[in-house]
Amino acid sequence: MPTGIYFPLDERQPLALHEYDALEDYQAAVGGHVESIDAGERGMSFFANDEAKLIGLGINRRATIYWWLHLAASYQRDFLAGDVVLVGPTHPSGSTLSVPRSIQQLLFTPSTFAVEVRVMGSNKWHRNPAGFDDYFEAGSWALDLSIRRQEVEKVRVIAA
């Protein structure tokens, strides 16, 4: 059974690790038919309700921040709505794999988070001295920084 990360729309609810047996489990998690959306990292995907925007489900801020950090092409062009599930890559057989442990640890191990930036013309990451208690607050700040500073080519959030 693959382990996915459930991102509830309601931010009062925490992210949750769940094992998913079948398509029906994903459908129950997102409240409808499932569409797969490239998460931009390590072949991972989000499973979301394919009608979420049509039926007026709200923006899932945490999932959208994660998506924008890892798939630059989506940044400020689209958003994720409703409850979503982050899943691992697809196995050559077509089955869905678990979210890598490193991502599970990043999002579920209490930590202080830091933002690193890479500026144009450099392959070196530079750590910003600001520290954050929440991954998504760090992510939001990093994305804002990438807008304010034209020389910033990439941003990422790491456990400090």
Side-chain angles (χ1 to χ4, degrees), residues 57-106:
L57 297 179
I59 296 172
N60 189 317
R61 186 184 75 86
R62 293 176 294 184
T64 299
I65 288 170
Y66 186 90
W67 189 40
W68 285 356
L69 284 169
H70 298 283
L71 187 64
S74 66
Y75 184 49
Q76 293 191 325
R77 290 183 176 89
D78 203 357
F79 60 90
L80 298 174
D83 297 334
V84 301
V85 177
L86 180 64
V87 297
T90 302
H91 187 274
S93 69
S95 62
T96 300
L97 300 174
S98 294
V99 171
R101 290 212 187 275
S102 60
I103 303 301
Q104 293 179 31
Q105 289 175 336
L106 180 66

Side-chain angles (χ1 to χ4, degrees), residues 132-153:
F132 301 86
D133 293 330
D134 179 78
Y135 176 89
F136 301 101
E137 292 308 314
S140 179
W141 190 87
L143 291 165
D144 183 57
L145 178 67
S146 72
I147 292 172
R148 290 184 286 121
R149 304 290 303 264
Q150 291 181 351
E151 70 274 14
V152 172
E153 183 176 44

Side-chain angles (χ1 to χ4, degrees), residues 26-46:
Y26 294 111
Q27 290 173 330
V30 303
H33 294 285
V34 173
E35 78 171 307
S36 177
I37 301 166
D38 180 10
E41 179 185 33
R42 300 181 190 181
M44 296 190 305
S45 298
F46 281 102

Side-chain angles (χ1 to χ4, degrees), residues 105-107 109-116 127 132 135 157-160:
Q105 289 175 336
L106 180 66
L107 296 179
T109 303
S111 182
T112 300
F113 298 93
V115 172
E116 291 186 338
R127 184 176 294 188
F132 301 86
Y135 176 89
V157 176
I158 61 165

Side-chain angles (χ1 to χ4, degrees), residues 14 22 51 122 130 142:
E51 294 185 333
S122 173

